[in-house]
Structure formats: structure tokens, C-alpha cells
Amino acid sequence: MHSTYTYPTLPYRKPAELASGKASRHAVVVVGGGPVGLAAAIDCAQRGLEVLLLDDDNTVSVGSRGLCYAKRTLEVLDRLGCGQPLVDKGVTWNVGRTFHGDGEVYNFNLLPEADHQRPGMINLQQYYLEEYLVQRANAQPGLEMRWKNKVVGVAPDDAGVTLEVETEDGRYRVHADWLIVADGARSSVRRMLGLDIQGKIFQDRFLIADVVMKADFPAERWFWFDPPFHPGQSVLLHREADNVWRIDFQLGWDADPDVEKQPARVIPRIQAMLAHRQDQAGASRSAPGAPDFELEWVSVYTFTCRCMESFRHGRVLFVGDAAHQVSPFGARGANSGIQDTDNLAWKLALVACGKAPATLLDTYSEERVAAAQENLLNSTRSTDFITPKSNVSRCFRNAVLTLAGKHAFARMLVNSGRLSVPAFLTASRLNTPDGDAFDGHMAPGAPMDDAPVRAGGRDDWLLRHAGERFTLMLFADDAAALDAATLADLATLAQGPLGVATLVVAPRAGAAPRGAPEGTTVIEDVKGLVRRRYDARAGTAYLLRPDQHVAARWRRLHAPAVQAALARATCNL
């Protein structure tokens, strides 16, 4: 098959433990070098933790696999230092269209609101994401990656976890104070620990075909129910980088995966789909017919919706597919896994340096299990709509699709995969409930909204000034005119054990006010959108978590209230 990508060979080096005969000790060991494991390792390293990553392979993922990366994931990857290369390489899209037969019945826009830095979604083959993450990881001091190092034994105790690792040169042991498990849906670590993952496998099969072709189709998500070229089933089309297109064909449970992956079976399906797609897109008369294509990668998969009851087991922490799995329609796999690491790393760093009790890690499991259950619910609903398993379900689905072409109420019921959205942690025990009245959705637990700002004499974005540590975002009419009491409160918070940063949002740019704590940043709300999106006025204060979620908010700053909210957000009550 044709390939547009040259797979790197990641270097294997003989581990030092084999020469010394002694087990090494590490603050954090990450098992799994996919997108989620790499994100976890980078995040922990950026927070000052010494990290060892182990993976049993020596290259990036084969085939495009994970494809769609949502706005929230891109914002997390920005914080990790590799968001821009992904956006530059990927295919940006916001519009999705759903068809029943020949007719369009529903469309959506993932980013109906302007003035956000990142798009609603990009499409990019998973091997590029992993490549950029490996490059970023290589630049992190305190982060070591070992390829072709397979974990074959796991022994946790109260002080950490001892791992037995197999290489071509022999076996050795390492000890982790904390173990992050990111070794995928078939997690060998989870199996070695005898831990369950609960859920179900849906009885249907889908064919993935990545094809290389130059086509003039728009960069949109196109989904067909019962199309003429694949009657009785569904099909999905996405554009990727390098003139690669992803096509998913529903096959049915009785399909033989080995047979369906053969080019003789795949190519006629694609030819029929492209001919129909060309007609729908309105091909020019000067270039009639479907475009030529070459197969790049073919696979067959089934829908799986499963989740562990807890993502924390003592000093062992599960992330990504090792902890939860969803069907691919909705792009909730890698996106939710990277949000796992975003939630975990700051908590683990505070616990590891003694600034928070280990019980803070219980809230990682609580918050992310809740997010995973929401993903599973949405994914299961999508799966039931796409692949109904009873006559009643099929009749309902077909009635919705028939009505959706003419009636708005039915369009809201069309479900070709509810796409990934950020988790709103509004039920978290780390939140401080509002004591003042606010409008809008930036309630405690909400992920931050972005907005254009100006800082240091250049155009910028709000989210670039939050993250990594707790931040107090204070709104002012004139940053230079903050009163002495306010400045004293800011100094108290900055000098506390968590070293709270200060971000002053004002209508005009300016220097930090005299007497403000070191590290105070003043940003200009160039369009007034920060104030509008956060329902703020002069004096409004937001406490922001290191993962860019709102922890608390007030109409007036009062240091003791902020200190209480910090204690709550770190389980230091």
C-alpha cells in the first residue's frame, strides 16, 4: 500500500540497571508511549518531576488511528508546548453534515462563536501527534524515554511500585514513587494487577480505509445513513493531512474482518462512495468522475464502551484507553485521555512535593470517572442510533432521519456521533460554590473560555496566561489604580505555599501596578470579550486551577476567601 509517512525508528539503549544490577528509583514512571502516555510524561516533567517513560515498541502508531483533536485538547497541547505544529499540519474544520440517502438532514458548527484561538476540531493522523510529542518530550530535562522496554511485572506497595522490565539485553527492575498506566485498551499492567474494566462490546464491525487522493471536497465531516452506494449501512468521510482521507464503512457483525480488509473488497466500496461524493459536492465538468486514489491503511474495528470503577489504585494511576474506552464516533478517545493527564499532572506534582495530601489524587479519579461516564453515555447513544439492534430502534432512527429533512425538532435527535466536548466539573468537591450572583457558564468547575487579549505590546490569547499553577484573575477598570488593600491581598496569596500568580484584566494595557507581587501580568481585554464571557466587572476575581478550570469566583477580592478556596481545591482543609 502507498505511504505518505516515513515511520521513525526511536532509539533503544541498553539500560544502566543491567550493568549495575541495581533497581533505579524514579518519582514517576509512565508505561505507554502513545499520545496519552507522552502527554502525561511531558506534563509531569514540566512541573519539575523526574519521569521515566517505558514503551515496548520503537516507533509511532501505525496507521492514522486517532484522527480528530478537539479545541480543548489543542488548548492542553498548547500548554505542553506542541499545539501549534499540530494546527499547522492538521486540517481545520468546524462544520459537519449528516445525510440520509441522498439528502442532507442535519448540519452543525463546532465553533459558532468567533474570537477563540483554536478551531473546533483538527484532523491529523495519530503518528504526527506522537511524533511532535516525542520531539517535545526529548526537550524536557528530567524526562527519559526508553523504547523496546516491556513491562512484564508490577508489584505495588505503600511506598510505590516495583516494575520488572524486559529488553533484548535482559531484564531489570525500576521503582516508581508513582506509576501512570497509559498502555492502551488491552493494558497489560491492568491485567497483571487483576483489575476489572466494565462495559460492553457492541455487535457491529466497521472498516477503516485511509486513502491518498487529490480531491476538491471541503474540509467537513460527512456522515451518511443508508447511502445509495452502501445501502442499509452508514459511512463517514474525513479529510486528513497529506491528501489522505479517512473513510469508515459499517459492515455488520457477521462480516469477516480478514476478508473485508482485502483490497479486492475495499477498493470497489471506495470507488462507489467517491463517485457519489463527487456528485454531491458538485464536481466541475472539466474534471468529471471520481478522483484516483491509493490505499494507505486498512483496518476493521468494533465499538467498545468500557470504564474502570476507579482510576486510582494506591500509587497506580490509570489514564486514557487503559482506564476507559469509547466507540470512535465522537472523537472521545484520545481527547478524553489527554484531558485525563491534564487533570492528573498538577495534582500529582502537588502531592509529590508535599503541598497537598495524597487524597487529592482521589479527586483525579472522581472527576475523570465522571467525565468518562458522560463520554460513555454519549458514545452509547450514538452507537445505538448508528447501529440499532432492534426493529423498534431502527424504526425510531429511520423516522427521525425522515422527519429531520423538514422539521427542526427532529434534527436535534439525529446522532451520528456527539463530538468531544470539554468536561464541566461542576459537581467536583474541589469547587467553592458561588456566594455571589453570576450569569453565563463560567461557573466553578467549568473549563476556561478563551478570548483575544493584548499583553507585552503584542496580540495574544487569554489561555496563554493561565495554567501550570493556581492563578487569580482580577478585573479592573485601571490596573495602575489598584488600591493598597487589594495589593496587600495579592501579595499574601503570592507569598503563600502555592505561590498564586496574578493576572489583571483591564480595558487598556499597562504595566503592573506599583506594589504588585512579582510575576503579576496585566493584559488588555481588546474586545471586551474576557469581561463579557466571565460576566465580570471591576473587582471581580476568579481563582483558576492549574488545568485551566475555574475553582472559585467572587465579586470582590478577599484574601481569606481565596485561601479557603485554595485549601478546598487542594484537599488541604
Side-chain angles (χ1 to χ4, degrees), residues 163-239:
L163 304 172
E164 186 173 1
V165 186
E166 184 176 72
T167 73
E168 62 188 48
D169 293 309
R171 291 189 177 189
Y172 66 96
R173 290 182 302 121
V174 296
H175 186 85
D177 294 340
W178 298 94
L179 176 64
I180 298 177
V181 183
D183 58 348
R186 298 181 180 88
S187 173
S188 60
V189 173
R190 189 183 66 232
R191 186 179 64 252
M192 284 185 275
L193 292 174
L195 297 172
D196 290 333
I197 185 166
Q198 299 176 342
K200 63 179 179 178
I201 297 174
F202 291 86
Q203 293 190 344
D204 209 333
R205 290 192 170 98
F206 280 76
L207 171 77
I208 299 176
D210 278 1
V211 303
V212 183
M213 64 181 179
K214 292 184 178 180
D216 229 4
F217 309 149
E220 298 176 346
R221 178 187 193 264
W222 285 47
F223 191 102
W224 291 270
F225 289 99
D226 192 20
F229 57 86
H230 195 53
Q233 307 282 22
S234 60
V235 179
L236 174 66
L237 175 68
H238 267 296
R239 183 176 182 174

Side-chain angles (χ1 to χ4, degrees), residues 315-364:
R315 288 178 173 260
V316 182
L317 302 146
F318 289 82
V319 293
D321 283 353
H324 50 81
Q325 298 129 43
V326 295
S327 64
F329 289 129
R332 294 172 180 267
N335 287 293
S336 61
I338 289 174
Q339 288 185 61
D340 288 346
T341 68
D342 184 47
N343 188 292
L344 173 60
W346 70 270
K347 297 175 179 177
L348 184 55
L350 289 180
V351 171
C353 69
K355 293 184 178 180
T359 51
L360 180 60
L361 295 172
D362 292 334
T363 71
Y364 159 67

Side-chain angles (χ1 to χ4, degrees), residues 12-89:
Y12 164 80
R13 298 180 180 90
K14 185 177 179 178
E17 293 87 347
L18 289 172
S20 69
K22 297 179 180 179
S24 58
R25 189 178 188 96
H26 306 268
V28 177
V29 173
V30 178
V31 179
V36 176
L38 286 163
I42 294 167
D43 209 343
C44 288
Q46 288 188 170
R47 298 181 187 281
L49 297 174
E50 183 265 331
V51 183
L52 172 66
L53 183 144
L54 303 170
D55 191 87
D56 60 2
D57 202 356
N58 67 342
T59 191
V60 295
S61 67
V62 176
S64 65
R65 298 187 181 274
L67 173 65
C68 302
Y69 303 106
K71 176 178 180 290
R72 177 62 186 152
T73 299
L74 296 173
E75 291 164 352
V76 174
L77 293 169
D78 277 334
R79 189 176 56 73
L80 298 185
C82 54
Q84 192 60 48
L86 293 166
V87 175
D88 291 342
K89 183 65 178 177

